[in-house]
Amino acid sequence: MMLSEFFELVQFLFVVTFTTFLVNCVEYDVLFANRVVNHTGPGHNPLDRNKVTIPDAILPSQQCTQRIQEDSWIIFLLIMAAIFWVYRLIKVFCNVLSYWEIRQFYIKALKIRMDELCNFTWQEVQDRLISLQREQQMCIHKKELTELDIYHRILRFKNYMVAMINKSLLPVQLQLPLLGNVVFLTQGLKYNFELILFWGPGSLFQNKWNLHPKYKRIGNRLELAQQLSRVILLMGLANLLLCPFILVWQVLYAFFSYTEVIRREPGSLGARRWSLYGRLYLRHFNELDHELHGRLGRGYKPTSKYMNSFTSPLLTVLAKNIAFFSGSVLAVLIALTVYDEDVLTVQHILTAITVLGVVITITRSFIPDEHMVWCPEQLLQCMLAHIHYMPDHWRGNANKSETRDEVAQLFQYKAVFILEELLSPIVTPFILIFLLRNKSLEIIDFFRSFTVEVVGVGDICSFAQMDIRRHGNPTWMSEGQTEASIYQQAENGKTELSLMHFTIKNPHWQPPQESSVFISHLKEKVQHDAQGGPSTQLLLSEAPLCTSLQSNESGSGPDNLLASVLAHPILTASGLQGRDHRFIPPSSAASAAASVLASLSTSQYTHPSRVRTHGLLPSAVHPESTMYRSDRTVMDSMSNSDSRIRSNTLHSEFASAEMSLHAIYMHELHQQSSHPQRPSGQWQNPVPLRDLHTSSGFQAHSSLSSTISMPTPVHLGGWQEEEEDEDEEDQEINSGSTPKQGTGSSC
């Protein structure tokens, strides 16, 4: 972390210095051979007298300095850059002191050496922190810290941001002429939101943990809204004043960062990344950065496949012809170059070869693989299993361009990301002045209504408590358990799904009474629905066919299990025979998910010594144990390497798979509650699955008894919300691990 901040300073200094050198110290007439340079010294070869060298194009230092001194605009920009660099230097120095304190805390208090830190999981660090609180009473306001207290301290402001995006409070969706609904949220705009609301001058928080008391009172809400409006106006005017400088920096930084990548891999601009808005929209309450990064990383491939399933015949024809013409010219130029390398000395030949190569690479990316077959509804369901959130109107409309456009708001092209960041200095002031100011009263009401004080933690967003009674939604299995009004309800099942996610990730956490009732009700519903669903043994036996149906590579046990749950309705609806050569009645994804979830719960009763606190995923006792013990068929259906995977990796994979199953199941139940006239899922289950492993249903379920105890391995400090591992994603796209677009064949 210290090294990263140090190189940020060096990088800024390099960009400013190098740009100043290019503008003032290079003789471009000599560099472009518009002016002849004649070397007449005794040490020069007569044949090289007209050859231009690099020193010929660089001005002497005195002349360069004189040029800079004579340009007042350059002097002004350098002064501004110096002031900003000194500010960053002071901030980095303060951060380094903080990092050093953190380092000493890990070494002396948590007893974790620096060379061992990378081998610790977050759960292990968290357990040591909780134990330390019991021994030394670091937090004097309460005897014990819970996992939720720690998450609240880390994610205080991020939970507020997630809640404001969930309630559509922040003006990030714009209605533009010709373009329609456009989502615009960049790093600069997000920085301004946080500066205004959380830690800037005139912000709502008086320190890092307490909201200013005046914002908790309803009496002066109009006056406070006017005060916030003035702060937003001043911030918008400051952005407008600094717009030219920020814009120049953005252009220079983008040029130095992406030019070489585009030249080397032109197709990288066609790679996709999770947008900043998508990361906030899809984020659970109380989800740490590394947890979000891992979940969206698992959803990257299915989302890419879904987006690539949309093709344009017109664009395909144009791309093929442009690639043909460009390839023909490029082939001739390459042949001439091979015949005589002097062709390269012809003016603009290298430029033409480079441009034609870029054009061919870009056009090839628009030509789909004619042998690939896509099922949009299945791909959307597979995507939902990982991202956990999906608007209701997407269901049944996976093949519509409107759905694709909305997914693209969450999963944008890298080229769109770069363009938005370049436009951010221009657009941000207008969003602050004309849109965010109008939301001042709503923002004041939001922070007053949804801020609670927790002893030992401070003020937090009440949504982050995942209180079903206060913020539950009746259409998300909270009916009869919630007292929330429409204004108080979290949208899209955010409270319920966040509660399940946090419970699975933190098995030792003791939820409050209302949350425990909700979890128990969900388990009872799962057990009831599982009685009419397929057995887990049957699902695992179908794993290879289901994986092939979804165009997935052979995956691990949890991946195969998830693929079976998602594709089982297709297989049963098609009339395929089961392994016992009997036709299987149609069933839904909800019943398949319920069967697997029930088997996980049943295995805990079979092995009481392994029961977890909440019974959502059986935990383990022995790292060397095999994953599946009771059924040889189930074991054979999994990869042979599963038994050799480390137990903490297995726990991470199965915890993610369990949450994916809960997401699918809860979305199906939500559809039943919202649209009772519809079948739950893609195929209705008109006939119960009788005669299907009836005598050994729960015995087959118990075959999923896992022996996993280690938490998810995570490198502390190695995850950042705003940045993705772009190189890995680009490598996947360009190496072909993510298939190209499909053609007319679809399900």
Side-chain angles (χ1 to χ4, degrees):
M1 290 157 59
M2 294 168 56
L3 194 63
S4 176
E5 297 216 10
F6 169 76
F7 276 108
E8 284 182 6
L9 288 175
V10 175
Q11 192 177 77
F12 180 83
L13 196 62
F14 170 79
V15 170
V16 172
T17 304
F18 190 49
T19 303
T20 304
F21 169 79
L22 293 176
V23 172
N24 296 278
C25 301
V26 178
E27 191 67 48
Y28 289 98
D29 287 336
V30 176
L31 187 64
F32 296 148
N34 295 329
R35 193 174 71 196
V36 178
V37 176
N38 189 11
H39 301 284
T40 57
H44 291 88
N45 190 332
L47 298 177
D48 295 336
R49 287 180 178 178
N50 295 327
K51 186 175 182 179
V52 177
T53 61
I54 292 180
D56 294 332
I58 298 177
L59 296 176
S61 58
Q62 294 181 351
Q63 188 176 352
C64 179
T65 304
Q66 184 178 359
R67 275 193 177 187
I68 296 175
Q69 293 175 350
E70 293 175 353
D71 194 334
S72 57
W73 178 246
I74 293 293
I75 294 295
F76 176 73
L77 290 178
L78 290 177
I79 293 175
M80 293 290 294
I83 294 175
F84 178 78
W85 191 83
V86 171
Y87 161 76
R88 286 290 302 163
L89 180 63
I90 296 174
K91 188 174 180 180
V92 167
F93 179 75
C94 295
N95 289 341
V96 167
L97 296 179
S98 177
Y99 296 155
W100 184 259
E101 292 180 359
I102 294 173
R103 183 179 187 274
Q104 296 302 109
F105 179 79
Y106 268 78
I107 295 175
K108 296 181 179 179
L110 299 182
K111 308 300 182 183
I112 301 176
R113 300 199 310 268
M114 287 298 101
D115 57 341
E116 296 178 348
L117 181 58
C118 60
N119 298 323
F120 275 75
T121 65
W122 161 248
Q123 280 73 17
E124 291 172 323
V125 175
Q126 187 173 248
D127 291 342
R128 292 199 179 196
L129 186 60
I130 294 175
S131 301
L132 185 64
Q133 166 66 16
R134 297 194 190 104
E135 297 172 0
Q136 301 188 12
Q137 205 72 19
M138 295 180 299
C139 178
I140 62 175
H141 300 287
K142 59 192 313 183
K143 184 176 181 180
E144 291 191 2
L145 285 177
T146 67
E147 293 86 348
L148 190 59
D149 292 336
I150 297 173
Y151 275 67
H152 282 165
R153 283 173 172 259
I154 299 174
L155 301 171
R156 188 190 314 273
F157 296 150
K158 290 182 179 179
N159 281 327
Y160 273 108
M161 291 293 293
V162 171
M164 286 188 285
I165 290 293
N166 180 257
K167 300 297 291 183
S168 301
L169 183 60
L170 297 178
V172 296
Q173 298 195 20
L174 313 177
Q175 288 292 336
L176 300 180
L178 302 179
L179 298 178
N181 184 32
V182 175
V183 172
F184 187 87
L185 181 61
T186 62
Q187 301 286 357
L189 182 58
K190 179 174 176 288
Y191 177 85
N192 277 275
F193 286 157
E194 295 175 346
L195 191 66
I196 293 171
L197 299 176
F198 302 127
W199 49 269
S203 65
L204 280 61
F205 277 75
Q206 62 180 0
N207 49 46
K208 292 183 179 181
W209 55 88
N210 279 328
L211 186 71
H212 200 286
K214 63 182 179 181
Y215 293 105
K216 300 179 182 180
R217 298 189 291 267
I218 192 174
N220 55 347
R221 57 191 289 267
L222 296 178
E223 179 184 349
L224 294 175
Q226 293 177 357
Q227 179 181 340
L228 179 61
S229 178
R230 288 193 295 269
V231 172
I232 296 174
L233 177 61
L234 292 176
M235 194 64 64
L237 294 176
N239 275 268
L240 193 62
L241 182 64
L242 296 174
C243 173
F245 311 107
I246 301 176
L247 181 61
V248 170
W249 166 255
Q250 293 281 63
V251 172
L252 290 175
Y253 186 81
F255 175 79
F256 290 132
S257 299
Y258 298 110
T259 301
E260 191 276 334
V261 176
I262 295 174
R263 185 199 66 81
R264 177 168 42 89
E265 298 176 357
S268 61
L269 291 179
R272 290 186 177 270
R273 69 188 307 275
W274 295 103
S275 66
L276 192 56
Y277 170 76
R279 290 171 174 273
L280 290 174
Y281 178 85
L282 299 175
R283 188 168 193 159
H284 294 295
F285 294 123
N286 303 309
E287 184 174 19
L288 295 174
D289 291 347
H290 71 267
E291 296 171 348
L292 175 68
H293 184 97
R295 180 165 63 87
L296 296 184
R298 287 185 290 271
Y300 184 88
K301 283 188 177 181
T303 310
S304 296
K305 292 175 183 178
Y306 172 75
M307 296 301 291
N308 292 338
S309 66
F310 289 84
T311 59
S312 170
L314 178 62
L315 190 59
T316 300
V317 172
L318 292 175
K320 286 181 178 179
N321 283 275
I322 293 175
F324 171 76
F325 296 132
S326 301
S328 301
V329 178
L330 181 61
V332 172
L333 294 179
I334 292 176
L336 292 175
T337 303
V338 172
Y339 178 75
D340 190 349
E341 62 181 11
D342 290 337
V343 174
L344 294 175
T345 61
V346 178
Q347 193 174 18
H348 300 314
I349 284 293
L350 281 177
T351 303
I353 293 176
T354 303
V355 171
L356 289 172
V358 171
V359 170
I360 293 172
T361 304
I362 294 176
T363 53
R364 291 292 182 188
S365 64
F366 292 100
I367 302 175
D369 184 357
E370 59 184 11
H371 302 294
M372 196 61 71
V373 180
W374 299 106
C375 301
E377 288 291 346
Q378 276 294 304
L379 290 174
L380 191 64
Q381 189 84 331
C382 186
M383 183 179 74
L384 170 65
H386 296 289
I387 67 175
H388 300 171
Y389 293 99
M390 184 180 77
D392 293 342
H393 61 270
W394 285 7
R395 183 178 294 270
N397 297 311
N399 59 333
K400 300 293 182 63
S401 60
E402 293 82 2
T403 303
R404 178 194 181 279
D405 294 339
E406 293 184 15
V407 176
Q409 294 175 352
L410 310 177
F411 197 58
Q412 62 183 177
Y413 283 116
K414 182 185 287 187
V416 175
F417 162 75
I418 296 174
L419 180 62
E420 287 183 351
E421 291 296 331
L422 292 177
L423 294 176
S424 179
I426 302 174
V427 179
T428 296
F430 295 97
I431 291 180
L432 297 178
I433 296 173
F434 297 106
L435 297 180
L436 187 61
R437 284 182 63 207
N438 298 332
K439 298 271 189 177
S440 297
L441 184 58
E442 297 179 45
I443 293 174
I444 295 297
D445 290 339
F446 177 88
F447 277 88
R448 185 190 68 254
S449 302
F450 301 122
T451 295
V452 294
E453 183 177 358
V454 177
V455 176
V457 178
D459 291 332
I460 64 169
C461 180
S462 61
F463 285 101
Q465 290 186 305
M466 302 173 294
D467 188 346
I468 298 296
R469 181 181 58 82
R470 182 174 182 181
H471 296 300
N473 193 318
T475 63
W476 286 87
M477 299 187 63
S478 299
E479 188 173 5
Q481 305 177 38
T482 180
E483 303 172 359
S485 63
I486 296 179
Y487 176 69
Q488 295 173 323
Q489 295 172 4
E491 307 298 331
N492 300 319
K494 181 76 77 172
T495 301
E496 292 78 7
L497 288 168
S498 297
L499 175 61
M500 298 308 302
H501 178 268
F502 189 83
T503 304
I504 292 172
K505 288 293 184 180
N506 297 273
H508 302 295
W509 175 62
Q510 295 290 344
Q513 180 64 29
E514 294 81 3
S515 300
S516 298
V517 171
F518 174 81
I519 295 173
S520 300
H521 174 66
L522 178 61
K523 289 173 59 179
E524 293 174 1
K525 180 67 174 173
V526 166
Q527 293 289 346
H528 178 270
D529 292 349
Q531 296 177 4
S535 69
T536 306
Q537 181 179 3
L538 174 65
L539 291 173
L540 290 175
S541 69
E542 296 171 347
L545 180 58
C546 297
T547 303
S548 175
L549 181 62
Q550 295 185 17
S551 302
N552 287 334
E553 298 81 3
S554 58
S556 61
D559 293 334
N560 291 336
L561 181 61
L562 187 58
S564 301
V565 170
L566 294 174
H568 182 75
I570 294 181
L571 300 181
T572 57
S574 64
L576 294 178
Q577 292 182 346
R579 295 190 65 184
D580 55 356
H581 304 290
R582 286 180 289 177
F583 288 102
I584 304 171
S587 61
S588 66
S591 61
S595 296
V596 178
L597 291 173
S599 70
L600 295 177
S601 178
T602 304
S603 65
Q604 296 170 17
Y605 296 104
T606 308
H607 305 279
S609 62
R610 304 173 196 167
V611 176
R612 275 178 35 172
T613 306
H614 309 296
L616 291 174
L617 183 69
S619 81
V621 292
H622 203 276
E624 287 83 12
S625 303
T626 55
M627 191 188 317
Y628 305 104
R629 292 170 170 250
S630 58
D631 194 292
R632 189 70 215 170
T633 305
V634 177
M635 280 197 59
D636 292 341
S637 65
M638 293 298 182
S639 170
N640 293 329
S641 62
D642 284 346
S643 59
R644 298 189 298 270
I645 301 177
R646 285 169 31 179
S647 58
N648 55 357
T649 304
L650 289 176
H651 183 278
S652 175
E653 291 180 356
F654 272 89
S656 300
E658 183 187 7
M659 184 59 214
S660 298
L661 293 171
H662 275 99
I664 295 170
Y665 180 72
M666 294 173 69
H667 272 271
E668 295 287 344
L669 295 184
H670 169 67
Q671 287 297 317
Q672 292 181 17
S673 176
S674 302
H675 308 284
Q677 72 279 8
R678 287 186 184 177
S680 68
Q682 297 167 325
W683 293 272
Q684 195 170 4
N685 186 10
V687 184
L689 290 181
R690 56 183 179 271
D691 299 329
L692 181 62
H693 306 285
T694 53
S695 61
S696 59
F698 282 102
Q699 286 82 353
H701 290 164
S702 66
S703 65
L704 279 185
S705 173
S706 170
T707 55
I708 309 158
S709 62
M710 299 296 289
T712 309
V714 175
H715 299 265
L716 276 182
W719 304 101
Q720 297 181 5
E721 174 190 338
E722 293 80 2
E723 297 180 358
E724 285 192 81
D725 192 354
E726 300 293 345
D727 294 337
E728 292 183 3
E729 296 175 359
D730 298 345
Q731 186 176 2
E732 288 179 358
I733 294 295
N734 292 289
S735 64
S737 60
T738 301
K740 295 183 180 179
Q741 301 176 1
T743 53
S745 300
S746 61
C747 296

